[in-house]
Every structure is written in C-alpha cells, then in structure tokens.
C-alpha cells in the first residue's frame, strides 16, 4: 500500500498496492532453522514443592555481546544477517548487544527478529562510527514487509552522513542519537509502511520519502522532509507545525503521559535493567542531560528464561518475587503467564516469542500498579484462544494514575508463521494503562492464512478508563480492529488496514452497516479523544466491497477526533464516509485519502 517513489524523492507517486511480493516472502519464510533453540515441552506439576529458582545467569547463545576489542564483529553481524534477512516467519531470534565504547567501520544490517542495542545508560555511551541499516534488497526494494526488528540505546555516526532505517510495522527505533540524518525509505525510494521513533535525537533531517505513515514521540530532530498520508508527532522538538491535511502533519507539543521502555545495561561488570520514570506533558529525550531519571534492578532479581522453560516454571519465578527476562527464542505455554505482583517487569530480548498451546491465554496481569511488559511477540496457536493478552481482570477499577502499567513493543500475530486463531488479541481492563507502540496483526500472507483459517474477530478491546495509546497499529481483523468502551481514553496515532481477504460484502456485513469500523468507540462512552488516525481498505478478494466508514463513535461533544483519513488502495474496495456519516467517499483507483479535520 504505497505510493511508490520511482528514482528520486522528488518524483511523483503511483497508486500501487502494498506487499506485492507476498509469494517471494512466503518462499523466503521457510528459512533454515537456527541452532540453539530447543523445542519447549509442557510438564505436569510436581507433587513435590519445587526448589526455589535462582535469579540471574547467562543470557544464552542467541545474545551476542561485543566490546570494542572483540575480533570479527563485522563478520558476526553479517552471519546473523544472512540467516535473518529474509526469514520472515523463521524461528531465529537474536539480540546484538554492544558494551559502552567506540566502534569504527561497522555496518550492522538488521534482519527479522533481530534487535541491536547499546549497554550504556545513555545512547552516547556506545558510539558506532558506521551504520545500523535496514533496507529491502531481499524484497526487490519493497520495504512494506520489514517487520519485527529494533534498534535501541546507541549513538550512530553514519558513514555517508545519513543512516537508513527502511522499516514497516513492529520495528521500533528507540533511544538513538543519530549524529547525522535518518532516511526511512529503501534504496530506490520504493514502498514503505512504518513506523515508530521514541526518545531519539536526530541531529540532521529525517527523510521519510515513501513512508506512508509514521509516529514520532518525545524526541528531537533537525527537520522532517515530507509527508505522504499520516505523519504524527507528540513531544518532538523540531517537528513540523500542525498542518493536516496539507501536508498531513499532526503535531502535539507534548505527550500527555509517557514512560520509556525498560532496557538492559552494564553497571561495571553487572547487568542491570533500567526502569525510566513516568513523565507528564513530556517533550524531548529523557537522556539529554546525561543519566536518565529512574530506578534500576539487578539481573539477579530476574529469572533469566531460556526457550524450553514451561509456563509453570515462569509462574513459579513470578510467585517467588522474581521478574522475567525472556532471552531470544520461542516459548510454548500451556497456561497463562500470570503477573500478580505490582511493579513486575517482563522484558524480552531479540523478539522472544510466546506461543499459547491448547487455546490458552498467553499472559494475564492482575489489577496492580506499575507492571512493565516490553519487547516480545505473542504468536497465536492453532487452537483458538479467547484472548492472547489480558491487562487486568474483567471489572478492574483501581486507580493506577500514579504508577500505570505499560505495554511497550509487545506485538501480536495471528497466522503467518503457521495456523493460529484468537477471538480477541489484546484486552485492556486496568485503568490508566499506557500502550506505547504495538502492532496487532492478523496475517494477510505467509502460512496458515485464510478468512476462517486464521480467524480473529477483534484486535484490541479497551474496557478500562483513562487508557492512553501512543503508536497503535492494528490490522486485518475479521470484525472490529479496535473497540473502546472505557471512559476518557486517548489515542495518538492509529494505523489500520481492513482485512484483505473478506470474500464478499456479506462476510463483513454488520447488521445494517456495511463493514465493521476499524476503530469503534462504544455507544455509552461520553469522553474520548484521538489524534492522527488512518484506515485503509484493500479488498483483494472482492474489490467491489464497500465499507460504510473507517471510524464509528457516539456523536457527543466529549468524544473528539482530530485528523482522520481513509484510503482505498488502488480502488480495491471503497469507503462511503470517514467517521459515522461524515467525510467524503473514496472513489476510483487514485489512492487518494478522504480526510476529516475534526469531529464532531
């Protein structure tokens, strides 16, 4: 779902559809299995009280730790990239960690399920004179499938003055200091569909070029080059002024509430996990004056999990009072990971992936303060799960405003890597929860994909009051992608595609309404506000499908929307309105957005 740029940033756009190399991607998905990833097995609970689990320990074979004196760094980076470049649905998982110091002449190309990060308290503690690169050579210049990879906590001095980070969804760029420019498009300015930046400083200009949408939060930039459909900024020094829809910039001076993602760092020779403090009305980076504000935990306070561990063992560790560090790999669970203790941290490295077996929920959080969930992927299993992630039980009502739960870089996938089903992916019941960057995706390509094969009716359901979503990507669900029933909810940036594979109009008929809205606010909600929301349709199975609107909400003064758009990708289906009965219909094959500046 581009537009595409031909040979230069100045060229015109052509109305082509997204992810057209699905066949090649599916072939690439059968990448070779990597060693060191054991197949997890479930175990019956022992009749004997289990021995207490130890905290700390090594990070396992798929966490590669470098220091400036490590020989052969480039060769090792290249080896991991060769394995991961096109392994879109493979089993390899890697974290590349760099100790504080200066590294020269590196080009770390980052493939699927690969995270690169510095181990200092500040990004400037770890400097790479070189690049951390994402491009799209594996997909013939199409970056719309460059998912599931990340870069964090580094300073970069790009070799040619500009670093390339051409990504799509689930590819965060956090706590990076780019001492130069940042190019978000692939070589040749081909199609791209991202993305997310937070707590970063880019000294030069950010050039999105062909990027369809992007969200940047609590950062500082030297400039922003252009916009395609939906560029959203909150708390960004140097951001362009508010001008939606021409150009389509949505700019908020501050972010209402934010708390940066936990991260691993070295304190002398000891690994610790830093927990940044909550900020209100935030603007700019957290680390600008040196050491960031917050607290830290020793790795000895974490159960360092390896692939093959059971859910029972993970729950035992949590019951003992340990936090969880999920090292890279795939974790099968036959019961929910249950978080009952306030201030618990579950941090994944290298896209650690949780797969629920036998229809289980992957993870549940009690109605407690300050839980931090970060940096992992939940992959639905072949037996339908009613839910995959639950934050708070049904009816949760405690006030967590002083110390909210945060869900950051926690991604959900149904199908693609194999058969998977889930009725609802993510349910947020706890008040004041912050969902900061998620991609909840019912797969439109890969294996185990079909209208009923990877059935998933609902993406995210928000029942809790005072919930904030910053960077919300939810796509392709059979019915509603987002349903919001809590009061005083807020969303800053939303990206959506309706399900490509709806077989016909009848399959998505919602009573008397044509299609299910991408984002629906419940009829009883009296206060809600959202900025910078886009929904796209690409009904490839039946281009004649009509979607009545992208957004649905009560028509009341307290429910406010700012800067909305709907887009028909090349005429593959059409929208009649943007929100409720408001907004012009899309038409033809021009891939031109229909916009609404404010509602009501």
């Amino acid at each position: 779902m581009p537009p595409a740029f031909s040979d230069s940033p100045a060229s015109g756009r052509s109305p082509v559809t997204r992810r057209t190399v699905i066949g090649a991607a599916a072939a690439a998905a059968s990448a070779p299995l990597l060693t060191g990833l054991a197949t997890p097995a479930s175990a019956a609970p022992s009749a004997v009280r289990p021995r207490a689990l130890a905290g700390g320990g090594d990070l396992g074979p798929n966490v590669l730790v470098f220091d400036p004196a490590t020989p052969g760094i480039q060769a090792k980076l290249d080896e991991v990239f060769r394995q991961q470049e096109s392994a879109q649905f493979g089993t390899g998982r890697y974290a590349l960690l760099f100790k504080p110091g200066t590294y020269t002449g590196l080009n770390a190309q980052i493939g699927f399920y690969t995270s690169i990060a510095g181990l200092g308290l500040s990004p400037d503690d770890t400097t790479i004179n070189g690049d951390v690169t994402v491009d799209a050579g594996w997909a013939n210049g199409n970056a719309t499938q460059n998912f599931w990879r990340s870069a964090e906590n580094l300073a970069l001095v790009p070799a040619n003055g500009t670093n390339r980070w051409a990504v799509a969804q689930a590819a965060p760029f956090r706590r990076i200091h780019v001492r130069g420019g940042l190019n978000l498009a692939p070589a040749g300015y081909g199609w791209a569909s991202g993305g997310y930046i937070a707590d970063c400083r880019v000294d030069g200009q950010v050039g999105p070029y062909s990027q369809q949408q992007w969200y940047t939060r609590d950062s500082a930039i030297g400039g922003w080059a252009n916009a395609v459909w939906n560029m959203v900024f909150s708390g960004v020094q140097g951001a362009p002024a508010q001008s939606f829809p021409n150009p389509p910039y949505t700019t908020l001076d501050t972010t209402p509430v934010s708390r940066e993602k936990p991260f691993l760092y070295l304190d002398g020779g000891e690994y610790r996990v830093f927990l940044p403090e909550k900020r209100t009305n935030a603007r700019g980076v957290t680390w600008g004056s040196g050491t960031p504000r917050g607290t830290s935990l020793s790795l000895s306070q974490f159960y360092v999990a390896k692939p093959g561990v059971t859910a029972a063992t993970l729950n035992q560790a949590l019951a003992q009072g340990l936090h969880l560090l999920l090292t890279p790999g795939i974790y099968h669970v036959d019961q929910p990971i249950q978080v009952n203790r306030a201030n618990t941290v579950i941090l994944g490295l290298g896209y650690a992936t949780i797969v629920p077996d036998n229809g289980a929920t992957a993870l549940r959080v009690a109605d407690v303060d300050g839980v931090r969930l970060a940096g992992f992927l939940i992959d639905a299993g072949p037996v339908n799960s009613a839910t995959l992630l639950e934050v708070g039980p049904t009816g949760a009502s405690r006030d967590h405003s002083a110390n909210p739960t945060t869900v950051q870089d926690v991604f959900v996938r149904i199908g693609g890597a194999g058969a998977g089903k889930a009725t609802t992916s993510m349910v947020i019941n706890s008040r004041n929860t912050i969902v900061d960057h998620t991609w909840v995706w019912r797969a439109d390509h890969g294996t185990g994909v079909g209208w009923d094969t990877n059935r998933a009716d609902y993406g995210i359901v928000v029942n809790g009051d005072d919930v904030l979503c910053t960077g919300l990507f939810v796509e392709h669900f059979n019915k509603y992608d987002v349903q919001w029933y809590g009061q005083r909810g807020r969303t800053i940036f939303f990206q959506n595609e309706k399900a490509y594979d709806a077989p016909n109009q009848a399959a998505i008929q919602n009573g008397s309404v044509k299609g299910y809205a991408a984002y629906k606010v419940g009829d009883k909600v009296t206060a809600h506000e959202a900025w910078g929301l886009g929904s796209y349709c690409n009904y490839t199975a039946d281009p004649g499908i009509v979607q009545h609107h992208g957004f649905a909400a009560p028509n009341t003064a307290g429910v406010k929307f700012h800067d909305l758009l709907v887009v028909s990708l090349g005429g593959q289906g059409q929208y009649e309105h943007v929100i409720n009965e408001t907004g012009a219909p899309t038409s033809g094959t021009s891939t031109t957005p229909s916009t609404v500046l404010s509602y009501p």
Side-chain angles (χ1 to χ4, degrees), residues 521-561:
V521 178
D523 294 341
K524 296 181 180 179
V525 173
T526 57
H528 186 92
E529 194 160 12
W531 298 261
L533 291 81
S535 177
Y536 321 146
C537 72
N538 187 33
Y539 286 118
T540 55
D542 181 358
I545 290 176
V546 174
Q547 179 85 22
H548 184 68
H549 47 216
F551 305 92
N555 186 1
T556 183
V559 176
K560 303 174 184 177
F561 287 82

